[in-house]
Amino acid sequence: MPTPRSRRAPLPIVAAALVLPLAACSMSGGSKASGDAQRLRVVMAFPPAQAMSPFGDDAVTLSRLAVTEGLTTLDANGAAKPSLATSWKRDDPTTWTFTLRDTLFQDGAKVDAAAVVRSLTAAGKASPPPRVLSDTTLKATATGADTVRIVTGDADPLLPQRLANPSLAVLSPGAYGKDGKVDPAGHATGPFTLTDVKGAVAATLERNEDHWGSKAEAPGVDVTFVADGTARANALRTKAVDVAEYIPVSQASLLGDGLVHEFPSARTNGLSLNTRHGVFADPAMRAAARAAIDSDALVDGVYEGRADSAQGLLGPGVPWAAGKRTAPTDRVAAAGRDEVAKTEEIVLATYTNRPELPEVATLVQQQLEKCGFTVKQVVRDYAQLEADALAGKYDAFVQARNTLLDTADPVSYLASDFTCDGSFNISQLCDERVDAAVDKAASLAATEDRHRAEMTAEAAVLGADALVPLVHERFVQGYDDAHVEGVALDPMERTLITADTRIR
């Protein structure tokens, strides 16, 4: 059983050493450019995994660095607003028409209907397809030089929000090679142009002088990728970088309030219980596991108070949810300790990529054992666990899930994680009541009606004890607010560096 890390230990030598190549890639004090403007030095947590392809997780990195844009973007409430499309209308339940902005790609090509059709078609043909398209199909056609018709397989009232997803960014024809690879460098539309990528180590961005919106305040951005959270925090502490993404909770108190900026996120850490196989196929055992969990102890013991106690599937990062939440439905009574103690050993798995999760798993194991379960832990890199988790090979799985990542509306999260045909259904749940509730929410166009239906679906999922909410994470971004301004604190994780980010 893993031993919790000391949360007040001095910085390990190896972590400090990891900062040295990062600092070497940066210019001490920030590099000067036109006038007094300085380049930004940013360290990010997740190295490129697909050579900056827009169809995988690297799409979020490109979005967070203000390189790519889609037809739409999102406001703070998750509503769609214009980006490369200036307006849109719904012609019928499955057909929409988008009118494009008169602007250019970073390579000088015109943003026209043909380019939009090419980008959306390429996303639909990608293998594997972007997660945002896992529950729908899009067919885009040019109906004029600056108008695009998009037809969805089923009625999709969330299409404008869906098109804001980073994986559906619009790129110029030059981005698409004959070998099927997509290269966004110099071929996007955002405030910053990606000019160089050094594998999984570093990237260079330059200001897009011809951006259709506000020109970037900073002349460029020098990015390094460092997976070790302590190293990222140390780089910020030693002023080797201006902005450090995702500061671990264990380092936040050491950095102090001037360098740490925490805010509610749309990420819920939950315990997925295997509803199809093993001990937790019995609803009474799932109920016993749920009753054993002490969320407050996790907030205090692992997150040092820098998280919020579990409220449901959706936490404070989804501010409308609390006022529409309803009680879980159709819960069964929890099995007693004597009955629990007779069950076979359960396997509890989690991953190391998020540094708090192994500690969460250790405390969850202790809580489950206290009520009679026998627990074996499996802790590995996420890439080594995902296939087995999706195949239902673990009894319980601790994961951190962004509930708004795909469409900025939880209906896609509910569909992918908890329906019979869901593409990310780690709990193996197949409950016709849940499916019906999610389908109803997905069919509603009016935002208030859809939100109420989504909370009905949440109540059904919680009633089945398919997932036990553990905590709602807060994001912790690192920068010196006396030195840097304009960093986006985005609960949806899509933005970080913007046109307004600059050195004071």
Side-chain angles (χ1 to χ4, degrees), residues 275-276 418-421 425 427-432 434-435:
T275 63
R276 187 174 300 174
F418 303 111
T419 62
C420 295
D421 296 327
N425 190 348
S427 66
Q428 310 293 303
L429 183 65
C430 188
D431 186 317
E432 60 184 25
V434 172
D435 277 27

Side-chain angles (χ1 to χ4, degrees), residues 66-72 83-84 163 168-171 188-191 211-212:
V67 170
T68 55
E69 297 172 317
L71 291 179
T72 60
S83 182
L84 295 180
L163 292 169
L168 300 183
V170 177
L171 302 175
T189 60
H211 186 250
W212 57 267

Side-chain angles (χ1 to χ4, degrees), residues 315-328:
V318 189
W320 56 262
K324 295 180 172 61
R325 178 161 284 122
T326 60

